[in-house]
Amino acid sequence: MTDASTTSSAPADASSQQRKRRRQPGRKGPQQRPQGRPVHPLLEQLAELHPALFGARFRPLKLGTYQDLMERHPGVFEPAALKEALGQHARSSRYLECLARGDQRHDLDGQAVAPLALDHHHHALVELFKRRQARSKEDLQPALRARVRELFVQSGLDRAGYSAAAKVNPDALAALLDEADHDQAAEIARREALLRAFELGGVDEAQFADQYGLAPEAVAPLLAQARDDRRVRAGR
């Protein structure tokens, strides 16, 4: 990239230009991410050695993976560098995504060895949404509340038990779940209103989509969900 100050004055000699280019901050090397943060070179090596963990799809790492790597590959890794690489890996959004999915922890051979602790699952989910919200103009809080509520239901715990296991403030959790319940009730009411309108409208799904500004392919699933809502309310 040409320094802006050289475009309006006589060109410098070649060696001077080379020195300026070397001094320019923020020049991206071949192993730098779009944001300018370099990928730790050991992560590329780990992806080659253990593609099931560090390759195209990340997996939650078994607790103690650092020690396992040192023992599996004696003399290959400098301890401080490996710790730094694993730390960068664990802080990445791609790694948070696999935690937020609730994948099991895996060993170096790519075998699932342990369930993901609830607190790790919960906090990865919250952190991932926080990062996405920073890049989005859309309010993602309803989606986050729905995901936390889903995780809460799946846990089979009451609110106090979930708060303790997930290591979250009980009052903050209660407020979030109450809002999630309100969101769900509002969405059920919206689907019910649309189903009633469809039943009384005397039009087909394509015409209904046009009338209400809906994507044609979204109408059938929406109406099916509304009918399921009715069956649930009727106790069927």
Side-chain angles (χ1 to χ4, degrees), residues 78-199:
E78 194 278 318
L82 181 59
K83 287 181 180 179
E84 183 181 354
L86 291 176
Q88 184 183 104
H89 178 75
R91 291 189 297 270
S92 71
S93 292
R94 283 184 62 200
Y95 188 71
L96 285 176
E97 286 173 359
C98 73
L99 296 181
R101 287 194 301 267
D103 293 350
Q104 294 191 71
R105 292 194 177 276
H106 288 63
D107 64 15
L108 295 183
D109 298 315
Q111 299 299 312
V113 294
L116 188 67
L118 182 59
D119 58 326
H120 294 168
H121 191 170
H122 176 98
H123 289 286
L125 186 59
V126 172
E127 176 61 22
L128 185 61
F129 267 86
K130 180 181 177 181
R131 295 185 186 186
R132 289 176 176 172
Q133 185 66 78
R135 302 190 303 268
S136 176
K137 296 180 180 179
E138 180 185 356
D139 181 11
L140 301 182
Q141 287 302 306
L144 172 60
R145 291 194 292 264
R147 289 289 302 277
V148 172
R149 184 184 185 280
E150 179 182 0
L151 184 57
F152 167 70
V153 172
Q154 290 175 350
S155 74
L157 300 169
D158 60 16
R159 292 190 177 191
Y162 185 95
S163 177
K167 300 178 183 178
V168 295
N169 181 278
D171 294 335
L173 175 67
L176 186 149
L177 291 177
D178 287 344
E179 289 185 68
D181 288 342
H182 182 271
D183 293 341
Q184 185 183 51
E187 180 60 22
I188 290 173
R190 185 186 76 88
R191 289 196 296 261
E192 175 62 22
L194 286 171
L195 178 57
R196 289 182 180 180
F198 176 75
E199 292 172 340

Side-chain angles (χ1 to χ4, degrees), residues 3-69:
D3 188 279
S5 65
T6 67
T7 61
S8 59
S9 60
D13 62 87
S15 62
S16 175
Q17 290 183 25
Q18 289 173 354
R19 286 195 298 271
K20 286 183 179 181
R21 281 196 293 269
R22 284 196 293 270
R23 289 197 300 267
Q24 283 181 344
R27 292 181 63 84
K28 297 178 181 178
Q31 295 184 6
Q32 287 192 333
R33 299 183 182 187
Q35 298 86 349
R37 182 181 180 184
V39 177
H40 199 291
L42 286 191
L43 291 179
E44 298 178 357
Q45 186 176 2
L46 287 170
E48 294 177 358
L49 292 170
H50 300 284
L53 297 181
F54 302 94
R57 176 172 178 171
F58 289 174
R59 298 284 191 182
L61 301 178
K62 168 184 172 288
L63 300 181
T65 292
Y66 164 78
Q67 190 61 40
D68 292 345
L69 285 167

